[in-house]
Amino acid sequence: MGGPALPAFTLGAQAPMAAVVPCRAARAGAVRVVGARSGATAAAASSASAARLGDLGGPGVAASGRDRSLPSTACQVAAGAAFAAAASASRRASRRAVGRVQPLGLTPPSSAGGAVAASAAASLARRAVATATLEKPDEMYGTATDSKFNIPQGVRDKLGRDLLLKSAHPLGILWASVQEYFKEQDPDCKFIDTEMPIVGTKECFDDLRVEPDHPSRSPSDTYYVNEGTVLRTHTSAHQTKYMRQYPEIKSFLCAGDVYRRDEIDASHYPCFHQCEGVRLVERSKMTPEEVMEDLKRTLEGLAAHLFNASPGEGTMRWNDDYFPFTEPSLELEIFYNGDWMEVLGCGVIHHDVLRNAGLDPEKVHGWAFGLGLERLAMVLFGIPDIRLFWSDDPRFSEQFDKDAFKNKIRFKPFSKYPPVMKDVSMWIPESFNDNDFCEIIRDEGGDQVEKVELQDSFTHPKTGKTSKMFRVVWRDMSRTLTNDEVNTKHEQVLSRVVAELKVELR
């Protein structure tokens, strides 16, 4: 699942394994736009997801209302590096496809008859009761909203959390480590981490050569405040602002929270964090070849600093890539825990981007890169689920302090509570978008939803109608969920899906 990928350097990720900037990496790497996945990409993501999900046991009730108990299976959370490698391959496939551009006892399931009756009553209620729509505020942080506003309350609640500014949070720890490296390499480098995430579409897209009709600009991919204002989809949205201050600012790193509609699994989240960096230099002082050499030397040093590795053919390698804002474009991979893993995306800044920042490419040139911070933090600290970064559970937060990176602290998993699984099967209209479906589930379930996975898809040979069946995995990271409470939220999901996405439940 997923929408069209935005060209970003960042390993984001969301998530943690895919993102955009020159922020290329996340969900959770340098600049990258979130995009629709090809079958190969979905398969790779599914494989990575399955590897890291872990325990699938526990009681469950299907959407039809029939009880089904699932045996508990002790599955291990996948190693961070293996996760990273699979997600890295998935991201590359996604870019090609779009044309480059969380130990209590188990709650016993209810009786079958009661479940069927409850389901039938809920179905009648769905047909009889109008579904609530998104509550739109008149303004958001001083910016007026309009009919294009599509930001749910759960996403709005993430604004101002400032995880990067918390010195004992894994993301703050990693950001401090990146700054430490660049302070040593470039004493004049400016560090920016307090920019508001509400930006104009010009800065977020136009200035970076993202075409007006690119799918990453769709409301199914991007959160809009109004027609011309969005929650930034990458930290690259601030790139031209600081480039315009050249030569007062010749190099800078910009980090912050970024927002994208996306699928639901252990590595994707609607809010994640990126860091992008830019270095500018006069053409009279450095040739294009020397700019590329400086880029590679600096970023190999960063990778060595983060992964305690030594640059070389056996440990690091460069691959050609594509981003609309750099030319040429590259990705850096590191050999880690027995496999190659993408670390960042980068490139020489495109002449048009320089011009959009008011610079003359005949006089000034430079390079840019991007990192997905969740993605790297998951690997470096062994964190298996991106939702944990937002958790207030002391069993998570008390494992880290400001010296966790230096002391090579690894996350110690605590009890994993049993899941409740729900299947949703439906005939879908042509306008159906997987991201919109996931957004409704996130809005109703929040962080209690661990994963949404496509199980089956087919088109009827006679009617031409398309059907999709998704499995929704509900699992709270701090307690056991009961069937009753999940059923309530699941019915709300079904009501909204029918009303808002115009599907026909099967």
Side-chain angles (χ1 to χ4, degrees), residues 379-394:
V379 174
L380 292 168
F381 295 116
I383 297 170
D385 193 316
I386 193 171
R387 296 175 298 167
L388 285 165
F389 289 109
W390 298 91
S391 172
D392 294 322
D393 194 323

Side-chain angles (χ1 to χ4, degrees), residues 181 185 279 286-301 318 328 330 346-348 365-367:
Y181 170 78
Q185 296 294 313
R279 181 175 292 174
M286 191 177 288
T287 68
E289 292 77 17
E290 288 171 331
V291 168
M292 182 61 76
E293 290 174 6
D294 184 55
L295 176 155
K296 289 186 175 182
R297 180 175 59 252
T298 303
L299 298 182
E300 285 179 354
W318 292 94
L330 302 170
C346 59
V348 176
H365 58 174
W367 53 262

Side-chain angles (χ1 to χ4, degrees), residues 38 61-62 69 82 118 139 145 155 173 176 210 241 248 253 273 289 329 332 359 373 402 413 439 505:
S38 65
V61 178
S69 297
E139 59 87 26
T145 63
V155 171
I173 296 165
V210 179
K241 171 184 177 178
E248 287 77 14
L253 263 64
H273 296 76
E289 292 77 17
S329 302
L332 173 62
L359 300 174
L373 293 175
K402 63 183 180 61
E439 191 68 21
L505 297 179

Side-chain angles (χ1 to χ4, degrees), residues 306-365:
L306 293 176
F307 288 91
N308 193 29
S310 299
E313 290 186 2
T315 57
M316 298 182 191
R317 68 184 183 189
W318 292 94
N319 302 318
D320 291 335
D321 212 324
Y322 172 84
F323 305 104
F325 27 77
T326 54
E327 185 180 11
S329 302
L330 302 170
E331 71 169 7
L332 173 62
E333 290 187 328
I334 186 169
F335 195 74
Y336 187 74
N337 282 357
D339 207 347
W340 289 100
M341 181 186 74
E342 180 184 353
V343 176
L344 55 83
C346 59
V348 176
I349 301 172
H350 197 284
H351 286 188
D352 288 346
V353 176
L354 290 168
R355 293 188 185 98
N356 291 340
L359 300 174
D360 184 351
E362 297 300 317
K363 297 179 180 180
V364 180
H365 58 174

Side-chain angles (χ1 to χ4, degrees), residues 55-68:
D55 192 25
L56 293 178
V61 178
S64 65
R66 289 189 295 271
D67 291 344
R68 54 190 181 90

Side-chain angles (χ1 to χ4, degrees), residues 22 106 177 240 273 284 310 373 376 399 409 453 462 487 497:
L106 299 181
S177 181
T240 55
H273 296 76
S284 61
S310 299
L373 293 175
L376 295 184
Q399 294 190 37
I409 297 299
E453 186 173 38
K462 293 184 178 180
N487 285 343
V497 168

Side-chain angles (χ1 to χ4, degrees), residues 67-90:
D67 291 344
R68 54 190 181 90
S69 297
L70 300 176
S72 201
T73 53
C75 299
Q76 250 183 331
V77 173
F83 166 42
S88 195
S90 170

